[in-house]
Amino acid sequence: AAPDKVFPHLNDLRNWTAWSTWEKMDPAMKKTYSADTAGKGAIYEWEGNKKVGHGRMTIAESTAPSRVVIQLDFFVPFEAHNMGDLTLQAQSNGTLVTWAMYGPSPFISKLFSVFVSMDKMIGKDFEDSLANLKRVTENN
């Protein structure tokens, strides 16, 4: 799908339920949204089982139809504060969506990364979510 068809699925936090892998890990997850669910300043907070924990996403930047930057604040099962960067690039056959996550890496995180690859730990969830996003946007 073209970037202008993909962008609303990223920019409106209510739309994440249709494609985010984490949404399916706890169907009973408690969700709270800000009054505005799309664009800069939109907030989505969740509280669920051990797989999804408790956290909050806030759209920090929104540039239609090319980029959405999300501030991710995790509270349970561990505290972490990261940024998620979703960029959309038009291609001849659709849109290339790149999803990166970055943030501070205190000593304990660096030590943890020696033994556990973050890419192996959550990379598949990112890939599955992007595949779901592809299906959702192409079927609309």
Side-chain angles (χ1 to χ4, degrees):
D4 64 327
K5 300 289 185 204
V6 178
F7 184 79
H9 294 278
L10 304 175
N11 191 54
D12 188 329
L13 298 175
R14 284 195 184 268
N15 291 338
W16 286 54
T17 58
W19 60 268
S20 172
T21 297
W22 291 281
E23 290 284 338
K24 289 149 185 51
M25 290 182 183
D26 182 2
M29 180 170 44
K30 178 184 168 197
K31 305 171 192 178
T32 307
Y33 296 92
S34 58
D36 291 325
T37 61
K40 186 175 179 175
I43 299 170
Y44 165 51
E45 189 163 343
W46 69 90
E47 193 167 354
N49 63 23
K50 289 190 273 185
K51 290 182 179 180
V52 297
H54 177 203
R56 178 178 52 235
M57 293 191 324
T58 305
I59 297 181
E61 285 181 47
S62 175
T63 307
S66 61
R67 187 171 185 220
V68 176
V69 177
I70 309 249
Q71 179 178 333
L72 296 161
D73 297 302
F74 300 100
F75 308 117
V76 174
F78 55 87
E79 186 170 351
H81 305 281
N82 297 296
M83 300 301 287
D85 195 344
L86 295 127
T87 57
L88 294 86
Q89 202 171 27
Q91 305 284 296
S92 61
N93 61 346
T95 301
L96 173 65
V97 179
T98 305
W99 190 358
M101 190 167 82
Y102 53 92
S105 186
F107 175 76
I108 194 69
S109 296
K110 289 177 185 168
L111 181 63
F112 181 74
S113 70
V114 169
F115 302 102
V116 178
S117 164
M118 288 303 285
D119 190 44
K120 285 184 180 174
M121 191 166 92
I122 62 170
K124 180 156 177 24
D125 294 333
F126 276 70
E127 289 174 12
D128 290 347
S129 292
L130 289 171
N132 291 338
L133 178 63
K134 180 178 180 3
R135 269 191 303 280
V136 166
T137 57
E138 289 177 349
N139 290 331
N140 277 343

